[in-house]
Amino acid sequence: MTTLDIDALRRGFPALSVSHGDRPLVFLDGPGGTQVPDAVIDAVAGYYRTSNANHGGAFETSRRSAAIVEDAHAALADLLGVDADEIVVGPNMTTLTFHLSRSIGAGLEPGDEVVLTGLDHAANVDPWLAIAADRGLVVRWWEPNLDDCTLDLGGLEALLSPRTRLVAVGWASNAVGTINPIARIAAAAHRVGALVYVDAVHAAPHLAIDARAVDADFVACSVYKFFGPHLGAVYGRRSILAALRAYKVRPADHRFETGTGNFEGQAGALAAIGYLEDVGRMAGAPAGSTRRERLVTAMGAIREVEMVLYRRLHDGLAAIPGLTLYGIVDPDAFDRRTPTAAFTLAGLGAPEVARRLGDAGIAVWDGHFYALGLVERLGLEGSGGLVRLGLTHYNTAGEVDRALEVLREIAAGGGAAGAEPAEPRIAAAR
Ligand SMILES: Cc1ncc(COP(=O)(O)O)c(C=O)c1O
């Protein structure tokens, strides 16, 4: 039994009432960006109403704006389980990762090695490829097991060497939902003295993140994936940030936040984390709890709700003739996946399936979702990639059933002319 009143939470999200014909639009596009609650919308608007100013001024709105930014850093730190001075905020995860990769790369020598994965989003691959090209680094590829889109620790061990300086890995795959064993990855990397840069963009809306517990050196996330505005944040271990070369202008106080910040976005980030705290209260976090405790409670409850829904989605998808699911499909291993389903449908390209779902009022993404390496390795890049249905806690069983109903109709009548009728299949492509 869930402790969350999803209907009550949904009422706080105005976009969930946007209609498509005579029914509300169904948002299964969460991995691409979630909807935001009224509290976030009000906080962004409220910033402009009462606190809009640049920082460092000896007047009220400038002080208020600076206080919001300080509070937002503290809130993001609580979300990731770290301290506020270890949080770097920027326009988005990709820009921050390019920025930090330059600082990290400044300390690397030709012949040093970086480990990248074939599972990750391009945002945790391409910045390192760029710095590798600039600095003459050697790139070692940690290849995913394509049967279930997982990364095997033995594969990492085989790549590590005394020259390994960095392992860049996702906490969870935004394409197929695989959750990676970050604590074990970090331990292995640290044994050879390498840093671990973790992309938690897809994990943060679904899991309680504890950067210290897994001993990551960097953990990046994006606020628009967890009910907030378009903003990125990265945790960097204090001692490492202090030792890195900072590319900054001389007068700037913050070593890694260059130029004027998105202050209204940070007001919204604070409110998004406030929303999650409310979810934590609803899930039973006691009155005297800390913000971190409320957030951990919230994420536990969200995880529970989402995975009940995911099993329903999985069972429905697995029964559709011609549908091939990618990633972890064994229900006994669902603790190692997020509620993000990716599939192909025999005889129809992913763009066509997504278009028909969209026409029926169901918002989903198709293609490679920037997890280009994985979709290429699966051999799907030339045929339109994958269809992705991503659940968040604000989705309902009714929405899942609606999506399944439309997909069954598409599968029954929608195959390309001449396509063979196919049996249900949940094996991977290869
Ligand atoms: C797993 C993952 N990493 C990184 C990113 C890039 O984040 P941003 O849009 O904040 O640059 C995304 C965005 O989709 C993502 O899903």
Side-chain angles (χ1 to χ4, degrees):
M1 251 311 250
T2 171
T3 47
L4 297 183
D5 179 348
I6 300 299
D7 287 340
L9 292 174
R10 282 176 66 89
R11 283 194 288 278
F13 287 76
L16 298 183
S17 305
V18 170
S19 57
H20 177 94
D22 56 358
R23 301 170 92 177
L25 194 56
V26 174
F27 291 97
L28 301 184
D29 62 336
T34 50
Q35 299 305 323
V36 302
D38 277 319
V40 169
I41 299 167
D42 292 347
V44 174
Y47 174 85
Y48 284 118
R49 293 210 169 85
T50 63
S51 313
N52 186 20
N54 215 323
H55 292 181
F59 54 95
E60 184 57 24
T61 47
S62 182
R63 290 187 187 122
R64 279 187 206 165
S65 185
I68 287 170
V69 164
E70 200 180 314
D71 288 351
H73 282 67
L76 286 160
D78 280 344
L79 188 73
L80 301 181
V82 298
D83 294 328
D85 65 313
E86 298 174 301
I87 294 292
V88 182
V89 171
N92 51 59
M93 179 275 184
T94 308
T95 306
L96 282 168
T97 303
F98 268 110
H99 184 49
L100 286 165
S101 70
R102 192 172 178 216
S103 292
I104 294 169
L108 303 184
E109 303 291 339
D112 282 347
E113 299 174 7
V114 293
V115 175
L116 310 179
T117 88
L119 185 61
D120 270 64
H121 187 285
N124 203 24
V125 174
D126 292 17
W128 308 113
L129 288 178
I131 217 71
D134 287 354
R135 312 278 312 173
L137 311 179
V138 176
V139 175
R140 303 266 182 231
W141 287 100
W142 186 8
E143 292 295 340
N145 172 358
L146 295 180
D147 289 339
D148 59 0
C149 302
T150 57
L151 290 166
D152 170 43
L153 271 171
L156 173 63
E157 300 278 3
L159 297 174
L160 294 173
S161 86
R163 293 300 303 262
T164 313
R165 297 288 176 259
L166 179 111
V167 175
V169 64
W171 198 304
S173 159
N174 67 311
V176 292
T178 312
I179 298 171
N180 293 315
I182 298 300
R184 295 170 70 194
I185 292 169
H190 289 158
R191 275 197 289 278
V192 295
L195 298 176
V196 181
Y197 193 100
V198 181
D199 171 2
V201 172
H202 183 64
H206 304 294
L207 304 173
I209 301 291
D210 191 334
R212 290 219 202 288
V214 297
D215 205 20
D217 300 297
F218 295 89
V219 176
C221 65
S222 282
V223 185
Y224 73 96
K225 309 282 190 182
F226 54 87
F227 324 112
H230 292 94
L231 199 74
V234 179
Y235 151 73
R237 193 191 294 275
R238 182 181 296 111
S239 57
I240 296 173
L241 287 180
L244 288 182
R245 173 168 174 197
Y247 289 87
K248 67 185 274 292
V249 292
R250 282 167 298 150
D253 291 335
H254 200 290
R255 294 184 71 241
F256 296 99
E257 293 183 8
T258 52
T260 306
N262 176 351
F263 305 138
E264 61 277 29
Q266 295 192 52
L270 188 55
I273 291 170
Y275 164 77
L276 288 174
E277 285 186 77
D278 286 344
V279 173
R281 287 187 192 94
M282 186 185 266
S289 55
T290 63
R291 175 163 54 196
R292 172 73 187 160
E293 287 163 350
R294 289 190 286 281
L295 294 173
V296 169
T297 304
M299 296 318 297
I302 283 174
R303 174 91 180 134
E304 197 184 309
V305 166
E306 286 180 346
M307 291 314 288
V308 169
L309 218 50
Y310 185 73
R311 280 171 196 272
R312 188 181 189 102
L313 177 64
H314 169 87
D315 291 350
L317 291 174
I320 293 177
L323 191 145
T324 302
L325 273 166
Y326 290 80
I328 292 173
V329 293
D330 174 4
D332 290 339
F334 279 0
D335 58 328
R336 292 193 286 125
R337 67 145 42 256
T338 65
T340 300
F343 62 85
T344 54
L345 201 53
L348 278 179
E352 178 62 13
V353 176
R355 189 187 62 76
R356 293 197 197 179
L357 282 163
D359 289 349
I362 295 159
V364 305
W365 284 103
D366 63 282
H368 54 63
F369 333 108
Y370 282 37
L372 185 56
L374 176 67
V375 173
E376 280 174 349
R377 283 164 173 80
L378 290 170
L380 296 173
E381 180 47 12
S383 57
L386 295 158
V387 184
R388 181 180 67 187
L389 269 51
L391 303 178
T392 67
H393 70 286
Y394 59 55
N395 290 123
T396 64
E399 290 181 328
V400 167
D401 292 348
R402 234 179 102 187
L404 289 170
E405 190 188 316
V406 176
L407 273 169
R408 278 192 291 267
E409 280 165 19
I410 296 173
E420 292 292 313
E423 289 301 307
R425 197 158 74 88
I426 55 174
R430 291 198 214 165

